Amino acid sequence: MSKLLPQTLTHYMVVDLNKRSKLAEKLPLAIILFLSTCLGLLSCSTKKTATEQSLDVPYVASKPAVVEAMLQIAQVNKNDLIYDLGCGDGRIVITAAKEYGATGVGVDIDPNRIKEANRNAQKEGVSDKVQFLQQDLFDVDFSKASVVTLYLLPYVNLKLRPKLLEQLKPGTRIVSNEFDMGDWQPEKKIKVGESTIYFWTIPEKKPI
């Protein structure tokens, strides 16, 4: 019966106003209130789904061992400014700040992740060294970064690659968890558990 309820409610929503008015006269007030509540819940559910579908990359947190390996392969130090594109709960830039003394910027389009990242930074005592931007990573100016970290998807990496090469200075280090950059061969590639980490530096002569 519960499977049929959304169909019934959807049908009720598209009934024209005259029919809806006549139907309302025949229904007890309690049933009308029940239907109104259900329609409101159905609407909220639809909005949530639309929001979830707007995210290019589903949130999957990097394991602590992977975070440490990413920072180590990039040789992060106190002089670095690290940008984490698709930062999630902020763990990469927070670890970079807490363990290596770096400053960092995390970027994520999901407001819930940004709120969580700010809470985590405050909890770890590095709020003065990191900041988090709720923004589409393709709209961000990360040209001042000395390190860029990624945990995205293959097609997002490929779409982002020209922007990385255009904005970043030669020598800037890039680290990606799990996914490569197509025919741009990594300088290093290591396994950490079931994860693969890729490392590049922006070359002096950038490919076309």
Side-chain angles (χ1 to χ4, degrees):
M1 180 175 178
S2 60
K3 293 182 179 180
L4 296 177
L5 182 58
Q7 297 177 355
T8 304
L9 294 175
T10 302
H11 174 74
Y12 179 73
M13 290 172 67
V14 299
V15 175
D16 64 56
L17 292 176
N18 289 332
K19 289 183 178 179
R20 194 179 299 181
S21 177
K22 293 179 181 179
L23 181 60
E25 292 175 1
K26 298 178 181 180
L27 289 175
L29 179 59
I31 294 179
I32 294 173
L33 292 174
F34 171 75
L35 288 171
S36 299
T37 301
C38 289
L39 287 172
L41 292 173
L42 188 62
S43 175
C44 291
S45 176
T46 302
K47 290 178 182 178
K48 182 179 180 181
T49 301
T51 301
E52 291 171 350
Q53 289 176 346
S54 70
L55 302 178
D56 286 334
V57 181
Y59 173 56
V60 180
S62 297
K63 295 179 180 179
V66 173
V67 172
E68 289 288 350
M70 292 175 73
L71 297 175
Q72 288 175 10
I73 198 173
Q75 297 183 331
V76 170
N77 60 69
K78 64 181 181 180
N79 298 317
D80 280 319
L81 171 59
I82 179 171
Y83 270 68
D84 185 22
L85 305 182
C87 67
D89 64 4
R91 62 183 60 194
I92 291 180
V93 293
I94 289 172
T95 303
K98 186 176 181 179
E99 302 296 334
Y100 298 90
T103 55
V105 179
V107 181
D108 206 295
I109 200 170
D110 188 340
N112 293 323
R113 299 284 74 80
I114 295 298
K115 291 177 183 178
E116 184 179 11
N118 279 313
R119 288 196 301 268
N120 290 339
Q122 186 173 14
K123 179 181 177 181
E124 297 297 332
V126 294
S127 295
D128 60 328
K129 299 182 74 66
V130 301
Q131 62 174 312
F132 298 99
L133 307 176
Q134 184 194 332
Q135 200 168 348
D136 188 320
L137 59 88
F138 289 99
D139 296 331
V140 174
D141 178 0
F142 43 75
S143 58
K144 294 181 179 180
S146 58
V147 178
V148 174
T149 55
L150 314 169
Y151 187 12
L152 303 172
L153 288 174
Y155 81 94
V156 182
N157 276 11
L158 290 177
K159 184 178 177 183
L160 186 62
R161 173 179 156 179
K163 185 177 176 73
L164 293 168
L165 290 168
E166 177 187 356
Q167 283 201 9
L168 297 174
K169 301 179 294 292
T172 303
R173 291 149 279 162
I174 302 172
V175 187
S176 176
N177 183 12
E178 291 295 358
F179 304 114
D180 61 17
M181 294 274 188
D183 59 359
W184 185 13
Q185 294 299 311
E187 297 168 36
K188 296 179 183 179
K189 178 180 174 182
I190 63 173
K191 291 285 291 185
V192 180
E194 297 180 354
S195 299
T196 302
I197 297 173
Y198 300 86
F199 173 80
W200 303 261
T201 55
I202 298 295
E204 289 287 342
K205 185 177 181 180
K206 298 181 182 181
I208 299 175

